[in-house]
Amino acid sequence: MFMGTPEFAVETLKALVENQYNVVAVVTQPDKPVGRHGSVLQPSPVKQYALAQGLPVLQPEKMKDPDFVEALRAYEANLQVVVAFRMLPEVVWAMPRYGTFNVHAALLPQYRGAAPINWAVINGETRTGVTTFFLDHDIDTGRIIMQMPFGIPDEADVEYVYDGLMHLGADICLRTLQLIIAADGHPDTIAQDDFQKASATVGTLKPAPKIFKETCQIDWNKPAKQVYDFIRGLSPYPGAWTTLSDGQGHDTVLKVFQTEKTNLPTTTPGALVADKRCLYAACADYLLRIGELQLSGKKRMDATAFLNGQKDIGKYFLISA
């Protein structure tokens, strides 16, 4: 039984199908209302792929719903694989003979939570990875089966890491299945607490909570490196934003997608500085060169196009979080 919803999960489901594993059914989120009035229902990427492969699809509103639990039980799956899905109740994750394992986009116990890829980049990590672990009562705390690392280049944004971990997640899922089958459902695992004690590289645990709009507001009072990592950790989606103000009450939301670090001396944090065709924003220690941005209601553009549309950039400044 496969459980997942977004594009990230499709790659793993595709790997299972193409490697001829017997996926008896797929569980995904209910169709999501889209459009101006929410009158159109959009199926999840996982549902779209599953239907194209002729796989049965279950879409429970509540995971403890008795009808859903009975429908799930009727498939008699030996194992459940979860990728980017919701938290499961024990009646679901404990159901199969071999249990339920999750493919998580981080090197647990680091970055437990809903947005591990974003937070790894935001925090300036140079390394992340994927982990498979058996589900238990608490979220992202189960016994680790396998891990595979993934490097994060300093110039990479979250889209690069997302794509890399998406493919790595499919790979580790297949490897984990081979271990589970070879061990008749009981592969060697390690408790996350024991793993943390045994590893000198884990360090202080960093969470990966869900990201909301207010999470994405840029604080120009921070050092340039932190602002740089923050912006690339939210690019291209959902996008880091700030408020562009002229000091006369004309404020607008400005999203920033790409920046470059400099060693240029700073001025008041949030100030904008233009030099020929370059646009800079002042941080606590250095100027940060802005590469791509987007005004509210406008298309994404490079800094040169933005400057061409502004007569007096010096009157504007960026309001910090």
Side-chain angles (χ1 to χ4, degrees):
M1 182 71 63
F2 183 85
M3 301 184 180
T5 295
E7 177 195 16
F8 188 90
V10 173
E11 192 68 22
T12 301
L13 177 57
K14 182 180 177 182
L16 294 173
V17 171
E18 292 183 351
N19 282 273
Q20 300 182 340
Y21 283 95
N22 181 23
V23 181
V24 294
V26 169
V27 182
T28 190
Q29 295 277 41
D31 294 358
K32 184 178 180 180
V34 295
R36 187 173 180 180
H37 302 291
S39 57
V40 178
L41 293 178
Q42 178 71 39
S44 73
V46 162
K47 179 180 178 179
Q48 293 178 50
Y49 178 81
L51 292 179
Q53 299 301 314
L55 299 173
V57 175
L58 304 176
Q59 296 178 272
E61 291 284 350
K62 297 180 180 180
M63 299 300 291
K64 290 184 179 180
D65 179 83
D67 290 339
F68 164 69
V69 172
E70 286 309 307
L72 195 66
R73 197 184 309 277
Y75 281 102
E76 298 182 339
N78 292 326
L79 179 71
Q80 290 174 161
V81 178
V82 180
V83 184
F85 196 53
R86 64 175 93 171
M87 189 172 180
L88 303 182
E90 183 175 3
V91 66
V92 172
W93 58 255
M95 185 182 297
R97 179 161 65 99
Y98 289 169
T100 301
F101 78 83
N102 182 278
V103 178
H104 186 75
L107 297 176
L108 292 173
Q110 289 288 9
Y111 296 107
R112 294 169 176 158
I117 305 176
N118 297 95
W119 285 108
V121 181
I122 288 171
N123 289 333
E125 303 287 0
T126 59
R127 181 176 178 267
T128 185
V130 287
T131 302
T132 51
F133 67 96
F134 282 116
L135 266 62
D136 63 12
H137 293 91
D138 297 316
I139 189 166
D140 297 337
T141 60
R143 296 183 67 86
I144 292 173
I145 308 168
M146 181 180 289
Q147 292 190 325
M148 296 176 68
F150 182 83
I152 306 177
D154 184 64
E155 69 279 5
D157 61 18
V158 77
E159 184 174 43
Y160 171 89
V161 183
Y162 181 98
D163 288 345
L165 295 185
M166 180 172 67
H167 291 91
L168 198 62
D171 188 9
I172 197 173
C173 177
L174 296 179
R175 291 171 183 254
T176 299
L177 281 170
Q178 291 166 7
L179 285 178
I180 291 173
I181 292 169
D184 193 27
H186 300 284
D188 291 336
T189 59
I190 183 170
Q192 291 192 34
D193 286 346
D194 293 340
F195 184 86
Q196 185 178 2
K197 293 174 184 176
S199 175
T201 63
V202 172
T204 302
L205 296 187
K206 300 171 185 176
K210 187 175 180 179
I211 289 176
F212 298 94
K213 181 181 178 181
E214 56 269 25
T215 312
C216 303
Q217 187 175 8
I218 302 167
D219 185 354
W220 300 103
N221 293 297
K222 292 185 176 181
K225 176 63 165 68
Q226 289 186 29
V227 178
Y228 170 80
D229 290 336
F230 184 81
I231 290 169
R232 68 192 181 100
L234 296 167
S235 178
Y237 183 82
W241 64 273
T242 185
T243 301
L244 180 69
S245 177
D246 64 358
Q248 303 297 317
H250 301 109
D251 298 348
T252 185
V253 172
L254 179 71
K255 283 192 173 184
V256 183
F257 295 100
Q258 190 267 329
T259 61
E260 295 177 21
K261 293 174 290 183
T262 78
N263 58 2
L264 298 173
T266 192
T267 178
T268 305
L272 286 172
V273 179
D275 176 14
K276 296 182 180 179
R277 292 181 176 272
C278 297
L279 178 65
Y280 302 89
C283 301
D285 51 359
Y286 296 104
L287 295 182
L288 200 61
R289 181 178 176 179
I290 296 178
E292 295 185 21
L293 66 169
Q294 182 179 18
L295 283 165
S296 180
K298 303 292 185 180
K299 293 183 179 180
R300 181 170 169 173
M301 67 184 81
D302 61 32
T304 301
F306 173 79
L307 288 171
N308 288 338
Q310 304 298 326
K311 293 182 179 180
D312 182 15
I313 195 64
K315 71 177 182 180
Y316 294 99
F317 60 93
L318 305 173
I319 300 176
S320 288

